[in-house]
Amino acid sequence: MDDQILRLNRIEEKLDKVGEAVVSLARMEERMITLFKRMDTYDQQQSLLEQRVAKVEVAHASTTASASWSERIVWILVLAAFASLTFIGKQ
């Protein structure tokens, strides 16, 4: 009888350990689910940022093209004014 009680106690201890392991696994699973949700959120935010950067690049390219022409025109006008002043000053 004593032998059976000891055996039942060992089985009970092992069952307790298995129960603790199952609870620990469930906690780990919940943590993993939380991390995966965070990663999905980060992926969505990164996609949005990539789209915004692409829009800014397009806007910058068009602005740069028009700005370069404007800058050339301004320099031409400045040089023409300087040449005119120089020419008028020599007369």
Side-chain angles (χ1 to χ4, degrees):
M1 186 83 164
D2 242 3
D3 201 26
Q4 286 179 346
I5 292 175
L6 287 174
R7 186 172 178 205
L8 286 175
N9 283 339
R10 278 186 269 146
I11 291 173
E12 197 173 289
E13 287 174 10
K14 288 179 183 179
L15 282 175
D16 287 341
K17 288 180 183 179
V18 168
E20 290 172 10
V22 168
V23 169
S24 178
L25 286 172
R27 287 181 184 150
M28 288 294 289
E29 184 180 10
E30 287 297 320
R31 288 182 191 143
M32 289 177 62
I33 289 171
T34 302
L35 288 174
F36 288 142
K37 286 180 182 178
R38 282 185 192 162
M39 287 174 51
D40 289 340
T41 302
Y42 292 147
D43 285 342
Q44 290 172 355
Q45 289 175 350
Q46 183 178 0
S47 294
L48 291 174
L49 286 174
E50 287 174 355
Q51 291 172 1
R52 289 178 63 192
V53 166
K55 288 179 184 178
V56 168
E57 286 175 343
V58 169
H60 176 70
S62 65
T63 303
T64 303
S66 64
S68 66
W69 280 104
S70 301
E71 184 179 358
R72 287 181 187 156
I73 291 170
V74 167
W75 279 112
I76 290 170
L77 293 174
V78 167
L79 290 174
F82 181 73
S84 298
L85 290 173
T86 305
F87 183 71
I88 293 173
K90 286 185 178 180
Q91 288 183 354

Coordinates of all heavy atoms in Angstrom, one line a residue:
M1 N 0.8 -1.2 0.0 CA 0.0 0.0 0.0 C 0.9 1.3 0.0 O 0.5 2.2 -0.7 CB -0.9 0.0 1.2 CG -1.9 1.1 1.3 SD -3.3 0.6 0.4 CE -4.4 1.8 1.0
D2 N 1.9 1.2 0.8 CA 2.8 2.4 0.9 C 3.5 2.6 -0.5 O 3.6 3.8 -0.9 CB 3.9 2.1 1.9 CG 4.0 3.0 3.0 OD1 3.1 3.9 3.1 OD2 4.9 2.9 3.9
D3 N 3.7 1.6 -1.2 CA 4.4 1.7 -2.5 C 3.4 2.3 -3.5 O 3.8 3.1 -4.3 CB 4.7 0.2 -3.0 CG 5.8 0.3 -4.0 OD1 6.6 1.2 -4.1 OD2 5.8 -0.7 -4.8
Q4 N 2.1 2.0 -3.4 CA 1.2 2.6 -4.3 C 1.0 4.1 -4.0 O 0.8 4.9 -4.9 CB -0.2 1.9 -4.2 CG -0.2 0.5 -4.8 CD -1.6 -0.2 -4.6 OE1 -2.4 0.3 -3.8 NE2 -1.8 -1.2 -5.3
I5 N 1.0 4.5 -2.8 CA 0.8 5.9 -2.4 C 2.0 6.7 -2.9 O 1.9 7.8 -3.4 CB 0.7 6.0 -0.9 CG1 -0.6 5.4 -0.4 CG2 0.8 7.5 -0.4 CD1 -0.8 5.4 1.1
L6 N 3.2 6.1 -2.8 CA 4.4 6.8 -3.3 C 4.3 7.0 -4.8 O 4.7 8.0 -5.3 CB 5.7 6.0 -2.9 CG 6.1 6.1 -1.4 CD1 7.3 5.2 -1.2 CD2 6.5 7.5 -1.1
R7 N 3.9 5.9 -5.4 CA 3.7 6.0 -6.9 C 2.7 7.0 -7.3 O 2.9 7.8 -8.2 CB 3.4 4.6 -7.4 CG 3.3 4.5 -8.9 CD 3.1 3.1 -9.3 NE 3.1 3.1 -10.8 CZ 2.5 2.2 -11.5 NH1 1.9 1.2 -11.0 NH2 2.4 2.3 -12.8
L8 N 1.6 7.1 -6.6 CA 0.6 8.1 -6.9 C 1.1 9.5 -6.6 O 0.8 10.4 -7.4 CB -0.7 7.8 -6.1 CG -1.6 6.6 -6.5 CD1 -2.7 6.4 -5.5 CD2 -2.1 6.8 -7.9
N9 N 1.9 9.6 -5.6 CA 2.5 11.0 -5.3 C 3.4 11.4 -6.4 O 3.4 12.6 -6.8 CB 3.2 10.9 -4.0 CG 2.3 11.0 -2.8 OD1 1.1 11.4 -2.9 ND2 2.7 10.6 -1.6
R10 N 4.2 10.5 -6.9 CA 5.1 10.8 -8.0 C 4.3 11.1 -9.3 O 4.7 12.1 -10.0 CB 6.1 9.6 -8.3 CG 7.2 9.6 -7.3 CD 8.3 8.6 -7.7 NE 7.9 7.4 -7.0 CZ 8.0 6.1 -7.4 NH1 8.5 5.9 -8.5 NH2 7.6 5.1 -6.6
I11 N 3.3 10.4 -9.5 CA 2.5 10.7 -10.7 C 1.8 12.0 -10.6 O 1.7 12.8 -11.5 CB 1.4 9.6 -10.9 CG1 2.1 8.3 -11.3 CG2 0.4 10.0 -11.9 CD1 1.2 7.1 -11.4
E12 N 1.3 12.3 -9.4 CA 0.7 13.6 -9.1 C 1.7 14.8 -9.3 O 1.4 15.8 -9.9 CB 0.2 13.6 -7.7 CG -0.9 14.7 -7.4 CD -1.5 14.5 -6.0 OE1 -2.3 13.6 -5.8 OE2 -1.2 15.4 -5.2
E13 N 2.9 14.6 -8.8 CA 4.0 15.6 -9.0 C 4.3 15.8 -10.5 O 4.4 17.0 -10.9 CB 5.2 15.2 -8.2 CG 5.1 15.3 -6.7 CD 6.4 14.8 -6.0 OE1 7.4 14.5 -6.7 OE2 6.3 14.6 -4.8
K14 N 4.3 14.7 -11.2 CA 4.6 14.9 -12.6 C 3.5 15.6 -13.3 O 3.7 16.4 -14.2 CB 4.9 13.5 -13.2 CG 6.2 12.9 -12.8 CD 6.4 11.5 -13.4 CE 7.7 10.9 -12.9 NZ 8.0 9.6 -13.5
L15 N 2.2 15.3 -12.9 CA 1.1 15.9 -13.5 C 1.1 17.4 -13.2 O 0.8 18.3 -14.1 CB -0.2 15.3 -13.0 CG -0.6 14.0 -13.7 CD1 -1.9 13.4 -13.1 CD2 -0.8 14.2 -15.2
D16 N 1.5 17.8 -12.0 CA 1.6 19.2 -11.6 C 2.7 19.9 -12.5 O 2.4 21.0 -13.0 CB 2.0 19.3 -10.2 CG 0.9 19.0 -9.2 OD1 -0.3 19.0 -9.7 OD2 1.1 18.7 -8.0
K17 N 3.8 19.2 -12.7 CA 4.8 19.8 -13.6 C 4.3 19.9 -15.0 O 4.6 20.9 -15.7 CB 6.1 18.9 -13.5 CG 6.8 19.0 -12.2 CD 8.1 18.1 -12.2 CE 8.8 18.2 -10.9 NZ 10.0 17.3 -10.9
V18 N 3.6 18.9 -15.5 CA 3.0 19.0 -16.8 C 2.1 20.2 -16.9 O 2.0 21.0 -17.9 CB 2.4 17.7 -17.3 CG1 1.6 17.9 -18.5 CG2 3.4 16.6 -17.5
G19 N 1.2 20.4 -15.9 CA 0.3 21.5 -15.9 C 1.0 22.8 -15.9 O 0.6 23.7 -16.6
E20 N 2.1 22.9 -15.1 CA 2.9 24.2 -15.1 C 3.5 24.4 -16.4 O 3.5 25.6 -16.9 CB 4.0 24.1 -14.0 CG 3.4 24.1 -12.6 CD 4.5 23.9 -11.5 OE1 5.7 23.8 -11.9 OE2 4.2 23.7 -10.4
A21 N 4.0 23.4 -17.1 CA 4.6 23.5 -18.4 C 3.5 24.0 -19.4 O 3.8 24.8 -20.3 CB 5.2 22.2 -18.9
V22 N 2.3 23.5 -19.3 CA 1.2 23.9 -20.2 C 0.9 25.3 -20.0 O 0.7 26.1 -21.0 CB 0.0 23.0 -20.1 CG1 -1.2 23.5 -20.8 CG2 0.3 21.6 -20.6
V23 N 0.8 25.8 -18.8 CA 0.5 27.2 -18.5 C 1.7 28.1 -19.0 O 1.4 29.1 -19.6 CB 0.3 27.4 -17.0 CG1 0.3 28.8 -16.6 CG2 -0.9 26.7 -16.5
S24 N 2.9 27.6 -18.8 CA 4.0 28.4 -19.3 C 4.0 28.5 -20.8 O 4.3 29.5 -21.4 CB 5.3 27.7 -18.9 OG 6.5 28.4 -19.3
L25 N 3.7 27.4 -21.5 CA 3.5 27.4 -23.0 C 2.4 28.4 -23.4 O 2.6 29.1 -24.4 CB 3.3 26.0 -23.5 CG 4.5 25.1 -23.5 CD1 4.1 23.7 -23.9 CD2 5.6 25.6 -24.5
A26 N 1.3 28.4 -22.7 CA 0.2 29.3 -23.1 C 0.7 30.7 -22.9 O 0.3 31.6 -23.7 CB -1.0 29.0 -22.2
R27 N 1.4 31.0 -21.8 CA 1.9 32.4 -21.7 C 2.9 32.8 -22.8 O 2.8 33.9 -23.3 CB 2.6 32.5 -20.3 CG 1.7 32.5 -19.1 CD 2.5 32.7 -17.9 NE 1.6 32.6 -16.7 CZ 1.9 32.1 -15.5 NH1 3.2 31.7 -15.3 NH2 1.0 32.1 -14.6
M28 N 3.7 31.9 -23.2 CA 4.7 32.1 -24.2 C 3.9 32.4 -25.6 O 4.3 33.2 -26.3 CB 5.7 31.0 -24.4 CG 6.7 30.9 -23.3 SD 7.8 32.3 -23.3 CE 8.7 31.9 -24.8
E29 N 2.9 31.6 -25.8 CA 2.1 31.8 -27.0 C 1.4 33.2 -27.0 O 1.4 33.8 -28.0 CB 1.0 30.7 -27.1 CG 0.2 30.7 -28.3 CD -0.8 29.7 -28.4 OE1 -1.1 29.0 -27.4 OE2 -1.4 29.5 -29.5
E30 N 0.9 33.6 -25.9 CA 0.3 34.9 -25.8 C 1.3 36.0 -26.1 O 1.1 37.0 -26.8 CB -0.3 35.2 -24.4 CG -1.6 34.4 -24.2 CD -2.7 34.8 -25.2 OE1 -2.8 36.0 -25.4 OE2 -3.4 33.9 -25.7
R31 N 2.5 35.9 -25.5 CA 3.6 36.8 -25.8 C 4.0 36.9 -27.3 O 4.2 37.9 -27.9 CB 4.8 36.5 -25.0 CG 4.7 36.8 -23.5 CD 6.0 36.4 -22.8 NE 5.8 36.4 -21.3 CZ 6.3 35.6 -20.5 NH1 7.2 34.7 -20.9 NH2 6.1 35.7 -19.2
M32 N 4.0 35.7 -27.9 CA 4.4 35.6 -29.3 C 3.3 36.3 -30.1 O 3.6 37.0 -31.1 CB 4.6 34.2 -29.7 CG 5.9 33.6 -29.2 SD 6.1 31.8 -29.6 CE 6.2 31.9 -31.4
I33 N 2.0 36.0 -29.8 CA 0.9 36.7 -30.5 C 1.0 38.2 -30.4 O 0.9 38.9 -31.4 CB -0.4 36.2 -30.0 CG1 -0.6 34.7 -30.4 CG2 -1.6 37.0 -30.5 CD1 -1.8 34.0 -29.8
T34 N 1.3 38.7 -29.2 CA 1.5 40.1 -29.0 C 2.6 40.7 -29.9 O 2.5 41.7 -30.5 CB 1.7 40.4 -27.5 OG1 0.6 39.9 -26.8 CG2 1.9 41.9 -27.3
L35 N 3.8 39.9 -29.9 CA 4.9 40.4 -30.7 C 4.6 40.4 -32.2 O 5.0 41.3 -32.9 CB 6.1 39.5 -30.4 CG 6.8 39.7 -29.0 CD1 7.9 38.7 -28.8 CD2 7.3 41.1 -28.9
F36 N 3.9 39.4 -32.6 CA 3.5 39.3 -34.0 C 2.6 40.5 -34.4 O 2.7 41.0 -35.5 CB 2.9 38.0 -34.4 CG 3.9 36.8 -34.4 CD1 3.5 35.6 -33.9 CD2 5.2 37.0 -34.9 CE1 4.4 34.5 -34.0 CE2 6.1 36.0 -34.9 CZ 5.7 34.7 -34.4
K37 N 1.7 40.8 -33.5 CA 0.8 41.9 -33.8 C 1.6 43.2 -33.9 O 1.3 44.1 -34.7 CB -0.3 42.0 -32.7 CG -1.4 41.0 -32.8 CD -2.4 41.2 -31.7 CE -3.5 40.1 -31.7 NZ -4.4 40.2 -30.7
R38 N 2.5 43.4 -33.0 CA 3.4 44.6 -33.0 C 4.2 44.6 -34.3 O 4.3 45.7 -35.0 CB 4.4 44.6 -31.9 CG 3.8 45.0 -30.6 CD 4.9 45.1 -29.5 NE 4.3 45.3 -28.2 CZ 4.9 45.1 -27.1 NH1 6.2 44.7 -27.1 NH2 4.3 45.2 -25.9
M39 N 4.7 43.5 -34.7 CA 5.5 43.4 -36.0 C 4.6 43.8 -37.2 O 5.0 44.5 -38.1 CB 6.1 42.0 -36.2 CG 7.3 41.8 -35.3 SD 7.9 40.1 -35.3 CE 8.2 39.8 -37.0
D40 N 3.3 43.3 -37.2 CA 2.4 43.7 -38.2 C 2.2 45.2 -38.3 O 2.1 45.8 -39.3 CB 1.1 42.9 -38.1 CG 1.2 41.5 -38.4 OD1 2.2 41.1 -39.1 OD2 0.3 40.7 -38.0
T41 N 2.0 45.8 -37.1 CA 1.8 47.2 -37.0 C 3.0 48.0 -37.5 O 2.9 48.9 -38.3 CB 1.6 47.6 -35.5 OG1 0.4 46.9 -35.0 CG2 1.3 49.1 -35.4
Y42 N 4.2 47.5 -37.1 CA 5.5 48.1 -37.6 C 5.6 48.0 -39.2 O 6.0 48.9 -39.8 CB 6.7 47.5 -37.0 CG 6.8 47.8 -35.5 CD1 7.4 46.9 -34.7 CD2 6.4 49.0 -35.0 CE1 7.6 47.2 -33.3 CE2 6.5 49.3 -33.6 CZ 7.1 48.4 -32.8 OH 7.2 48.7 -31.5
D43 N 5.2 46.9 -39.7 CA 5.2 46.7 -41.2 C 4.3 47.6 -41.8 O 4.6 48.2 -42.9 CB 4.9 45.2 -41.5 CG 6.0 44.2 -41.2 OD1 7.1 44.7 -41.1 OD2 5.7 43.0 -41.2
Q44 N 3.1 47.8 -41.3 CA 2.1 48.7 -41.9 C 2.6 50.2 -41.8 O 2.5 50.9 -42.8 CB 0.8 48.7 -41.2 CG 0.0 47.4 -41.4 CD -1.2 47.3 -40.5 OE1 -1.4 48.1 -39.7 NE2 -2.0 46.2 -40.7
Q45 N 3.2 50.5 -40.7 CA 3.8 51.9 -40.6 C 4.9 52.1 -41.5 O 5.1 53.2 -42.1 CB 4.2 52.1 -39.1 CG 3.1 52.3 -38.1 CD 3.6 52.4 -36.7 OE1 4.8 52.2 -36.4 NE2 2.7 52.7 -35.8
Q46 N 5.8 51.1 -41.7 CA 6.9 51.2 -42.6 C 6.4 51.3 -44.1 O 6.9 52.1 -44.8 CB 7.8 50.0 -42.5 CG 9.0 50.1 -43.4 CD 10.0 48.9 -43.2 OE1 9.7 48.0 -42.5 NE2 11.0 49.0 -44.0
S47 N 5.3 50.6 -44.4 CA 4.8 50.7 -45.8 C 4.2 52.2 -46.0 O 4.4 52.7 -47.1 CB 3.6 49.7 -46.0 OG 4.1 48.4 -45.9
L48 N 3.5 52.7 -45.0 CA 3.0 54.1 -45.1 C 4.2 55.1 -45.3 O 4.1 56.0 -46.1 CB 2.2 54.4 -43.9 CG 0.8 53.7 -43.8 CD1 0.2 54.0 -42.4 CD2 -0.1 54.1 -44.9
L49 N 5.2 54.9 -44.5 CA 6.4 55.8 -44.6 C 7.1 55.7 -46.0 O 7.5 56.7 -46.5 CB 7.4 55.5 -43.5 CG 7.0 56.0 -42.1 CD1 8.0 55.5 -41.1 CD2 6.9 57.5 -42.1
E50 N 7.1 54.5 -46.5 CA 7.7 54.3 -47.8 C 6.9 55.0 -48.9 O 7.4 55.6 -49.8 CB 7.8 52.8 -48.2 CG 9.0 52.1 -47.4 CD 9.0 50.6 -47.6 OE1 8.1 50.1 -48.3 OE2 9.9 50.0 -47.2
Q51 N 5.6 54.9 -48.7 CA 4.7 55.6 -49.7 C 4.9 57.1 -49.6 O 4.9 57.9 -50.6 CB 3.2 55.3 -49.4 CG 2.9 53.8 -49.8 CD 1.5 53.5 -49.3 OE1 0.8 54.3 -48.8 NE2 1.1 52.2 -49.6
R52 N 5.0 57.7 -48.3 CA 5.2 59.1 -48.2 C 6.5 59.5 -48.7 O 6.6 60.6 -49.4 CB 5.1 59.4 -46.7 CG 3.7 59.3 -46.1 CD 3.7 59.6 -44.6 NE 4.1 61.0 -44.4 CZ 4.4 61.4 -43.2 NH1 4.3 60.6 -42.1 NH2 4.7 62.7 -43.0
V53 N 7.6 58.7 -48.5 CA 8.9 59.1 -49.1 C 8.8 59.1 -50.6 O 9.4 60.0 -51.2 CB 10.0 58.1 -48.6 CG1 11.3 58.2 -49.3 CG2 10.2 58.3 -47.1
A54 N 8.1 58.1 -51.2 CA 8.0 58.1 -52.6 C 7.3 59.4 -53.2 O 7.7 60.0 -54.2 CB 7.3 56.9 -53.1
K55 N 6.3 59.8 -52.5 CA 5.6 61.0 -52.9 C 6.5 62.3 -52.7 O 6.5 63.1 -53.6 CB 4.3 61.2 -52.0 CG 3.2 60.3 -52.3 CD 2.0 60.6 -51.4 CE 0.9 59.6 -51.6 NZ -0.3 59.8 -50.7
V56 N 7.2 62.3 -51.7 CA 8.2 63.4 -51.5 C 9.2 63.4 -52.6 O 9.6 64.5 -53.1 CB 8.8 63.4 -50.1 CG1 10.0 64.3 -49.9 CG2 7.8 63.6 -49.0
E57 N 9.7 62.3 -52.9 CA 10.7 62.2 -54.0 C 10.2 62.7 -55.3 O 10.9 63.4 -56.0 CB 11.2 60.7 -54.1 CG 12.1 60.3 -53.0 CD 12.5 58.8 -53.1 OE1 11.8 58.1 -53.9 OE2 13.5 58.4 -52.5
V58 N 9.0 62.3 -55.6 CA 8.3 62.8 -56.9 C 8.2 64.3 -56.8 O 8.5 65.0 -57.8 CB 7.0 62.1 -57.1 CG1 6.2 62.7 -58.2 CG2 7.2 60.6 -57.4
A59 N 7.7 64.8 -55.7 CA 7.5 66.2 -55.6 C 8.8 67.0 -55.6 O 8.9 68.0 -56.3 CB 6.8 66.6 -54.2
H60 N 9.8 66.4 -55.0 CA 11.1 67.1 -55.0 C 11.7 67.1 -56.4 O 12.3 68.1 -56.8 CB 12.1 66.3 -54.1 CG 13.5 66.8 -54.1 ND1 13.8 68.1 -53.6 CD2 14.6 66.3 -54.6 CE1 15.1 68.3 -53.8 NE2 15.6 67.2 -54.4
A61 N 11.5 66.0 -57.2 CA 12.0 66.0 -58.6 C 11.4 67.0 -59.4 O 12.1 67.7 -60.2 CB 11.8 64.6 -59.1
S62 N 10.1 67.2 -59.3 CA 9.4 68.2 -60.1 C 9.8 69.6 -59.7 O 10.0 70.5 -60.5 CB 7.9 68.0 -60.1 OG 7.4 68.2 -58.8
T63 N 9.9 69.8 -58.4 CA 10.3 71.1 -57.8 C 11.7 71.5 -58.2 O 12.0 72.6 -58.6 CB 10.2 71.1 -56.3 OG1 8.9 70.8 -55.9 CG2 10.6 72.5 -55.7
T64 N 12.6 70.5 -58.2 CA 14.0 70.7 -58.6 C 14.1 71.1 -60.0 O 14.9 72.0 -60.4 CB 14.8 69.4 -58.3 OG1 14.7 69.1 -56.9 CG2 16.3 69.6 -58.6
A65 N 13.4 70.4 -60.9 CA 13.4 70.8 -62.3 C 13.0 72.2 -62.6 O 13.6 73.0 -63.3 CB 12.5 69.8 -63.1
S66 N 11.9 72.6 -62.0 CA 11.4 74.0 -62.2 C 12.3 75.0 -61.5 O 12.5 76.1 -62.0 CB 9.9 74.1 -61.7 OG 9.9 73.9 -60.3
A67 N 12.8 74.6 -60.3 CA 13.7 75.5 -59.6 C 15.0 75.8 -60.4 O 15.6 76.9 -60.4 CB 14.1 75.0 -58.2
S68 N 15.5 74.7 -61.1 CA 16.8 74.9 -61.8 C 16.6 75.9 -63.0 O 17.4 76.7 -63.3 CB 17.3 73.5 -62.3 OG 16.4 73.0 -63.3
W69 N 15.4 75.8 -63.7 CA 15.1 76.7 -64.7 C 15.0 78.1 -64.2 O 15.5 79.1 -64.7 CB 13.8 76.3 -65.5 CG 14.1 75.3 -66.5 CD1 13.8 74.0 -66.4 CD2 14.8 75.4 -67.7 NE1 14.2 73.3 -67.5 CE2 14.8 74.2 -68.3 CE3 15.4 76.5 -68.4 CZ2 15.5 73.9 -69.6 CZ3 16.0 76.3 -69.6 CH2 16.0 75.0 -70.2
S70 N 14.3 78.3 -63.1 CA 14.1 79.6 -62.4 C 15.5 80.2 -62.0 O 15.7 81.4 -62.2 CB 13.2 79.5 -61.2 OG 12.0 79.0 -61.5
E71 N 16.3 79.3 -61.5 CA 17.6 79.8 -61.1 C 18.5 80.3 -62.3 O 19.1 81.3 -62.2 CB 18.4 78.7 -60.4 CG 19.7 79.1 -59.8 CD 20.4 77.9 -59.1 OE1 19.8 76.8 -59.0 OE2 21.5 78.1 -58.6
R72 N 18.4 79.5 -63.4 CA 19.1 80.0 -64.6 C 18.6 81.3 -65.1 O 19.4 82.2 -65.5 CB 18.9 78.9 -65.7 CG 19.7 77.7 -65.4 CD 19.5 76.7 -66.5 NE 20.2 75.4 -66.1 CZ 19.8 74.2 -66.6 NH1 18.9 74.1 -67.5 NH2 20.5 73.1 -66.2
I73 N 17.3 81.5 -65.1 CA 16.7 82.8 -65.5 C 17.2 83.9 -64.6 O 17.5 85.0 -65.1 CB 15.2 82.7 -65.6 CG1 14.7 81.7 -66.7 CG2 14.5 84.0 -65.8 CD1 13.3 81.4 -66.7
V74 N 17.2 83.7 -63.3 CA 17.6 84.7 -62.4 C 19.1 85.1 -62.7 O 19.4 86.3 -62.7 CB 17.4 84.3 -60.9 CG1 18.1 85.2 -60.0 CG2 15.9 84.2 -60.6
W75 N 19.9 84.1 -62.9 CA 21.3 84.4 -63.1 C 21.5 85.1 -64.5 O 22.3 86.0 -64.6 CB 22.2 83.1 -63.1 CG 22.5 82.6 -61.8 CD1 22.1 81.5 -61.1 CD2 23.4 83.3 -60.8 NE1 22.6 81.5 -59.9 CE2 23.4 82.6 -59.7 CE3 24.1 84.5 -60.9 CZ2 24.2 82.9 -58.6 CZ3 24.9 84.9 -59.8 CH2 24.9 84.1 -58.6
I76 N 20.7 84.7 -65.5 CA 20.8 85.4 -66.7 C 20.4 86.9 -66.5 O 21.1 87.8 -67.1 CB 19.9 84.8 -67.8 CG1 20.6 83.4 -68.2 CG2 19.7 85.6 -69.0 CD1 19.7 82.5 -69.1
L77 N 19.4 87.2 -65.8 CA 18.9 88.5 -65.5 C 20.0 89.3 -64.7 O 20.2 90.5 -65.0 CB 17.6 88.6 -64.8 CG 16.4 88.0 -65.7 CD1 15.1 88.0 -64.8 CD2 16.1 88.9 -66.9
V78 N 20.5 88.7 -63.7 CA 21.6 89.3 -62.9 C 22.8 89.7 -63.8 O 23.3 90.8 -63.7 CB 22.0 88.5 -61.7 CG1 23.2 89.0 -61.1 CG2 20.8 88.4 -60.7
L79 N 23.2 88.7 -64.6 CA 24.4 89.0 -65.5 C 24.1 90.1 -66.5 O 24.9 90.9 -66.8 CB 24.8 87.7 -66.1 CG 25.5 86.7 -65.2 CD1 25.8 85.4 -65.9 CD2 26.8 87.3 -64.6
A80 N 22.8 90.0 -67.1 CA 22.5 91.1 -68.0 C 22.4 92.4 -67.4 O 22.9 93.4 -68.0 CB 21.1 90.7 -68.6
A81 N 21.9 92.5 -66.2 CA 21.9 93.8 -65.5 C 23.3 94.3 -65.2 O 23.7 95.4 -65.4 CB 21.1 93.7 -64.2
F82 N 24.2 93.4 -64.8 CA 25.6 93.7 -64.5 C 26.3 94.2 -65.8 O 27.0 95.2 -65.8 CB 26.3 92.5 -63.9 CG 27.8 92.8 -63.6 CD1 28.1 93.6 -62.5 CD2 28.8 92.3 -64.3 CE1 29.4 93.8 -62.2 CE2 30.1 92.5 -64.0 CZ 30.4 93.3 -62.9
A83 N 26.0 93.5 -66.9 CA 26.6 93.8 -68.2 C 26.1 95.2 -68.6 O 26.9 96.0 -69.1 CB 26.3 92.8 -69.2
S84 N 24.8 95.4 -68.4 CA 24.3 96.7 -68.8 C 24.9 97.9 -67.9 O 25.2 98.9 -68.5 CB 22.8 96.7 -68.5 OG 22.1 95.8 -69.4
L85 N 25.0 97.7 -66.6 CA 25.6 98.7 -65.8 C 27.1 98.9 -66.2 O 27.6 100.0 -66.2 CB 25.5 98.3 -64.3 CG 24.1 98.3 -63.7 CD1 24.1 97.7 -62.3 CD2 23.5 99.7 -63.7
T86 N 27.8 97.8 -66.5 CA 29.2 98.0 -66.9 C 29.3 98.7 -68.2 O 30.1 99.6 -68.4 CB 29.8 96.6 -67.0 OG1 29.7 95.9 -65.8 CG2 31.3 96.7 -67.3
F87 N 28.4 98.4 -69.1 CA 28.4 99.1 -70.4 C 28.0 100.5 -70.3 O 28.7 101.4 -70.9 CB 27.4 98.3 -71.4 CG 27.4 98.9 -72.8 CD1 28.5 98.7 -73.6 CD2 26.3 99.7 -73.2 CE1 28.5 99.2 -74.9 CE2 26.3 100.2 -74.5 CZ 27.4 100.0 -75.3
I88 N 27.0 100.8 -69.5 CA 26.6 102.2 -69.3 C 27.7 103.0 -68.6 O 27.9 104.2 -68.9 CB 25.3 102.3 -68.5 CG1 24.1 101.7 -69.3 CG2 25.0 103.7 -68.1 CD1 22.8 101.6 -68.6
G89 N 28.4 102.4 -67.6 CA 29.5 103.0 -66.9 C 30.6 103.4 -67.8 O 31.4 104.3 -67.5
K90 N 30.9 102.6 -68.8 CA 32.0 102.9 -69.7 C 31.7 104.1 -70.7 O 32.7 104.7 -71.2 CB 32.4 101.7 -70.6 CG 33.1 100.6 -69.7 CD 33.5 99.5 -70.6 CE 34.2 98.4 -69.8 NZ 34.7 97.3 -70.7
Q91 N 30.5 104.4 -70.9 CA 30.1 105.5 -71.8 C 30.3 106.8 -71.2 O 30.4 107.4 -70.4 CB 28.7 105.3 -72.4 CG 28.6 104.2 -73.3 CD 27.2 104.1 -73.9 OE1 26.3 104.8 -73.5 NE2 27.1 103.2 -74.8

